[in-house]
Every structure is written in structure tokens, then in C-alpha cells.
Amino acid sequence: MNNLAEIIAACKDLAFDLDFKRAKQWKEEKANRVVVGYLPIYFPREVIHAVGGLPVAIFGGGDRKQIIKGDAYYQSYICHIPRSVIELVLDKHTAHFDGYIFPSICDVIRNLSGIFKQQNIGKFVKYMDFPQNFLPQVGGVFLQQEMQHVVDYITEISGEKLTTEKLNHSISLYNTNRRLIEFIYDIREKYPWRLSIEDVYHIIRAGTVIPVEEHNEILEKVCAFIDQEIGKPQDKIKVVISGAFCEQPAIGLIRAIEEAGCYVVDDDYQLGSRMIIGDIDDKTDNPLEALSNAYIKQSQYSSSIYDISNPKEYRLAKIVEKRKADGVIFASASFCDPSLLDAPIFQNAFDRMGIRYIAFQYSENINQFKVIKEQVGAFSDSIKLWEDEPMTVND
Amino acid sequence: MSQEAIKERSMILQKEMVEGLFNDLANAKELGKKVCYTFVPGNLSELIRTFDLLPVYPEINALQSAMRKKSAGYIKEAEKNAHSEDVCTYVKCDVGMLMKGNIGPTGQKIPEPDILLLSYTGCFTFMKWFETLKREYPNAKVIMIHTPYQENAKMTPQMIEYMVKQFKEEVIPQMEAVSGIKYDENKLKKILEYSKEAEDWITKIFDTTKHRPSPIDAYFAGVYYIGPINIGFRGTPEAVEYYKELYNEIQERIKLGLGPITPEGEMKEEKYRLVVEGPPNWTNFREFWKIFYDMGAVIVASSYTKVGGVYDLGWRHDPSRPLETLSEYCMNCYTNLNIPQRISLLTKCIEDYQADGYITNSIKSCNSFSAGQLAMMREIEDKLEVPVGFIESDLVDPRYFSYSNIKNRLESYFQMLAQRKTMEKTEA
């Protein structure tokens, strides 16, 4: 992989490999290796890595997996991702996975963990109950206990014990990973034509299914390429995408938004990879505490986190301001409670703040975007015609 | 449908309790009372009483609005204001009611909250709901208690400790600050004594469906029976009196060999005994019930009546460990149980109450219940070889109640049950 096109092509293959072949190969390279699947939004992958595990993100089957069995598990008015996850599992795409982690996102993913338990899928199933209490001595301690459960499950299979050194090392690797991803977004803020959002998506998603060491190498190369001027600027507005943090839009939709006249300068497509803002202490005597403090104090806003002391509308507005975006596109998966229940909060606040937005819904398996493309195109045109100054946020 | 419902003394007692609460709420300012909005699952009625707060239950207001045919307008109002068609209709009904002046089910205005007590139990939407209300009531204090999910079908000491710490470090100090009343643990213990007694009675009441004919309907009438224990009266002598009275009335029915009371009088013949999973539809509650009693179907147990607490398996509030017991209570509500626990509880109900069938009423906008129901149904069918039925409706959005669809499905289901009974008789 010596040029950007090759890197992107490789990432594209990895990102949508529904058989998770790299994870299988990694597991076969050495005895007692453990592959752990985790669902969106976020899981501190460092703890899996530190005990010899490979965390692998499960984003569902998207528009590449026909759903037959999964529909027998879910009513039509439930979002699409749980049925495609079930389909992947029942069709043995994840047969080499040892365990599954279901972070506390919403009732659907929570109850999906129960179906996995009921059907004895994997060697362990962990519902990861992230605290909604943000005192380090209360919610923080609980989160450490939750992470320890995961460590115990993996250790039981791999025999590898958690040590301070190992966890600090893993934290350090993921710090690098997040820094490099952030570098890409910072470059795109100023020079979004250098790398399309579709390519960014593939590059980041590839990192969720391969070892972090390999992903860091890829990211370093990508960063070096885009640090130089490549591509040509186009007359597009800058937008931030919000609401697509769990069930992922089809890649065609991600592409269509840029094609319709918008540079996406920030998004929450794969929020988990960027959930923690900044570095986590990697030279500590208590790295579990460092991870939990990072979640409590350095998390990005999320529709799954209780936000009363730090309202999400102002946090999103700050992102819009920082990225000098012209507006926001609220993209919610159909029937996604967290995203849709947040919609009025964001939209009412943005009406007051004068931030322009549009909203639409999608489903991971839908790959016809004509109407959305027209909507986005009209949004882009209207902003270009208004020619307003970028907004400022006063909270 | 025009017939007046027959009222027993217990019904009158309940009516007086509820009216008293709404009167107090309407006069909260004059009475110098602070108001606490909270939810039914994981409702901390005892703690609310300890601080002399008046409780408001937004989802009860929503279902009452639906029964009074007002929810459609409220939902429309919320949808005009960016609320999606596809989310919890309780939330939209509540938001719409607020936008229309917050007039409660008794026609009186519901006061603004001083506290939004978010005992986040078994339903993710509760959190989003109060995030929304906080923006509407900026002066209210949101007090959150995060209830861990029973992911491994147990309440571990770590989970209890986490909740107790939240009570001690956040919930109680914040309630003291807003109410101006100091936490009195002895007062809480006394209240908890009444809770325990009320829970004993309600368990006995729901256990009477073991009789044939069942003297009560544990779903359609059950939702009324759980009223006092779930809307702030658990922990009061009035609730204990209500449940004693109700129990005595039911005993009388058993002696007389009578079936359940329906809105059109006594159910004459018990043909089918069913267990129902999922909340009822509230917009067409009577029509919905009528389909069942017209067919001689009685519900002998339901998951919905356990939404505000599961007492069947012996758990009770324990006054000697007040904060620990409140923690356990929250964790032990039905929607905070994992899917295998729910299956096991429903299986027990089908067996204990000798049900002929199992029905899922899948609610479009309630993922806490609905996600997983199909897998649960199949598991129960395989395990017990009991006929299962599946219908769909919604909580308070009348657009999703299709009378003819539901009736057709249920009629087919009852035909299947009838055939099965005939075959069983023939084989015997």
C-alpha cells in the first residue's frame, strides 16, 4: 500500500468485510487469542486489547446483507440494525467471535443482548451498562467494575491477566489512533477536497475490524498524504452530520451528501472511534480509573448520555462553530429512539441560535437516495445564495 | 358500550385517592407543597413521601388523556414541533398536553415541577423524556438515579452499592435542597412498612386468578388494581386499606363462583385463560377489552401489571435496609429484567395460572417492551407448547389501533384455542 488510492481500496475491503476475515486470520495466528464483537456506540477497546483480545465493531449488515431470519425477530417498527446483526450471527459470519458486548445505547440494543443470552450465542455476552452518574467516585467506580467484568470474561478464555503496564500501553496506542483520526478531520476542516468523506468513512471503519497497531500505520500514511495539497476545491457548503451514530447509512448515502453539494466537515457516523476527546492518561498506576475518568470527563456528547449538566445542543453548536460549518444535517436511522427523541431539542435550539439545518431519516439497507440528494442539494443551494457569515455560539 | 360501569367500594376508594391527589396538585402552591414529576417503573414513592412532595406521573397523564380521547390532538401538537412519528407516544402526548396548557385528566391544571426525579429504570426513553422536559421547565431540578440493568438476571452487591451511593451523594441531598426538608430515615422506614404490606396484598390479589373461574381479569382490570401502588400511594395506610378491601371483594366473588367484572357486568362464562405480554392500548381500551370478554377470554396474568414492581417471586420492600431496598425495587421492575428473566417469569405465570394461551400485544412506540417480544413468544411456544397469538397496537396514538385487524386476529386465535380444546376433550 504505497499510494493513497491503494490504502483506500484496502480499507474499503476491510470496512465492509462481513466475514471479518482479518479478525479470523489474526485469531488463527496465535493460540488463545480472543475476538470480541461490540455494537455501537462506544466501548473502551483498550481493555480488550490489553488482555490479548481484538475488539471488532459490529455495525450490522448495511445494504450488503439480505435479511430473512432477522425479520422474524423484529417488528417492522423497530430499527434495522438488530435484525441485520441477528442475520449475520445466524449465518455464521461471526462464528469466530468469542464474545459480544452490547453498550447501553437504547432499549433495542439492550434487549438484543438478552436474545443473545437466551440463544447462548458466543462464550460470553456482556451488556455494558455505562453509568449515567458522572461523579468519579460513584459512576466512575461502577464503570471500572463494568470494564473489569469484560476483562474477566476475556481472561477466562485467553488466560492473559490484566496488568497496569499492558493497559497503559493499550491506552497509548488508542491515544495515537484518536490523534491521527482527529488530524484527518482537522485537515478536512480546511481542505475537505483532499479526502472525501466516503474515503474517511472507509479508513475509520477499517480500523474497527483490525488490530489498532495496523490501523495506526494506515492512518499515519493517510495523514502524510493529505498533509500535502491534493485534489481541487469545489463550490460546496460545509456541513456537520448528526444523529447517525448507531445504525450506519449506506455508503451511497454518505457519498450522495457530498455529491449534492456539501463537504461534511464533521460527523458522528462512527462516534465510538472518536468518543473520547483528547488523550487518556497512559502513565498511571490505575489505568482502569483513567479510562473511566476519560469517559466521564472527556466524552463527546451523545444521544445515549444523560446531558443535563452539559446540554448537547450547545456542544453540537460549538462543533459547527469550530469547523466553520454552514449548517447541520440531522440524519437519523428510522425508528432510532435516541436520535429521534433528540431531534426537537436540537432543532428548537438551532432555530433560536440561527443555525441552519435539514433533517431526514434513513435505513441501513436503503440505497435509493434521490429524494435525500435533492433535499441536500436544495439545502446547499439555499445556503450558498444566503451568503451569511458563519454563526457564533453563546451559551 | 353505553352501559355504565358497575362500581365496587374499592373502586370508589381508589377514585377518592386519585381525586385527592389531583386536588392537592391543583392547589400545590396554596398548600406549600413542592411537586415532583417521576415515572411508574422504579417510582420512588416512599422517598417522595419522605420529603412531603406531591408526585406527578407523566405517563399516567398520557394514558388518561388517551382514555378521554384527547391524546390524538396532543400528539399532533408535538409532531408539529419536530417530534417524530416514530417515537414513544407517551412522550408526545405529554409534550402536547404541556403545549396546550398542561390541563390534567381531572380538568385541573397540573403544576410545574420543582423536581424531575428520573429513576431511570428499564426504559431508555425516560431519560430522553426528562431531557426534553428540562428544556421546558428550566427552573426544575433534574435528579437522576441510574438503575443498572439486570443483565445477568441478578442484582449484584456492586449494583446495589452503586445505587445506594447515588442516593446518598446525589438524590437525597438534592431532594433536601429543593424540598427544604431534612432526610428522615425513620420516617422512610415507617412508609416502607406500609409498602411491604400493600405488596403482600396485591400479590394475593393477583394470585386469585388460580381459581376457576378467575374472579378477576389480571390485565384489563389489573391496570386499575396497580393504580394506587404505582402512582404515589404505595407506602400509605390508604393503599393498604384499598388492597384489603379489594381482596375481600374478590374473596366474596370466589365464594359465589363469579367471574371477573367487566364494563358490561359480570363475565358469564370463562372459556379461555390467557397470559398477556405488553402494555394495553389506551385509546380504545374498552373496545379492546370487549373483544376478549365477548369471547369468554380472561387474562389470568400479564407482564404489564409488573411494570411498577415484580412481587410474584417474593421480593418485598425491606424497611430495615431502606436505601438498599429502594435500589432493589428499581432494579426489579419488569422492563429492567433481561429477556431470559422475562421468559422465565411469563412461563411461570402460564404454568401457575393454568393458561390456555399466550398473547403478545406489541406496542409500536414502546421498544422497552417490544424489542425481543417475537423471540420471547417463540421460546415460550417451544417450551410449553402453548398456542401463542400476536397483535399490534399503540399506547396512546389512536392512528395505530385498528379494531378490525385486532378483532380478526383474535377471532382466529380463539378459533384455534377452541379447536385445541375440542381435540383435547376428544383425546381424553
Side-chain angles (χ1 to χ4, degrees), chain A residues 16-114:
Chain A
F16 286 97
D17 172 15
L18 296 187
D19 289 318
F20 304 96
K21 288 193 282 291
R22 177 64 191 108
K24 191 165 192 263
Q25 186 192 26
W26 175 87
K27 189 176 175 174
E28 286 163 357
E29 283 164 5
K30 207 172 151 190
N32 298 327
R33 280 186 162 176
V34 179
V35 174
V36 182
Y38 66 95
L39 276 88
I41 301 176
Y42 163 75
F43 180 78
R45 293 178 282 174
E46 293 88 339
V47 295
I48 299 175
H49 181 272
V51 282
L54 177 64
V56 177
I58 303 175
F59 285 114
D63 59 348
R64 296 154 199 240
K65 179 77 187 160
Q66 195 186 354
I67 305 304
I68 298 163
K69 305 177 193 84
D71 281 341
Y73 282 79
Y74 288 99
Q75 299 90 317
S76 57
Y77 39 79
I78 288 176
C79 58
H80 204 268
I81 186 172
R83 66 194 81 220
S84 76
V85 169
I86 282 276
E87 193 83 21
L88 287 175
V89 170
L90 295 180
D91 280 354
K92 311 285 182 204
H93 291 269
T94 61
H96 50 296
F97 285 31
D98 296 280
Y100 297 88
I101 294 172
F102 296 81
S104 47
I105 310 171
C106 66
D107 296 326
V108 172
I109 297 298
R110 185 198 62 188
N111 289 2
L112 180 61
S113 75

Side-chain angles (χ1 to χ4, degrees), chain A residues 5-19:
Chain A
E6 277 177 22
I7 293 172
I8 291 165
C11 288
K12 207 170 173 177
D13 288 343
L14 286 166
F16 286 97
D17 172 15
L18 296 187
D19 289 318

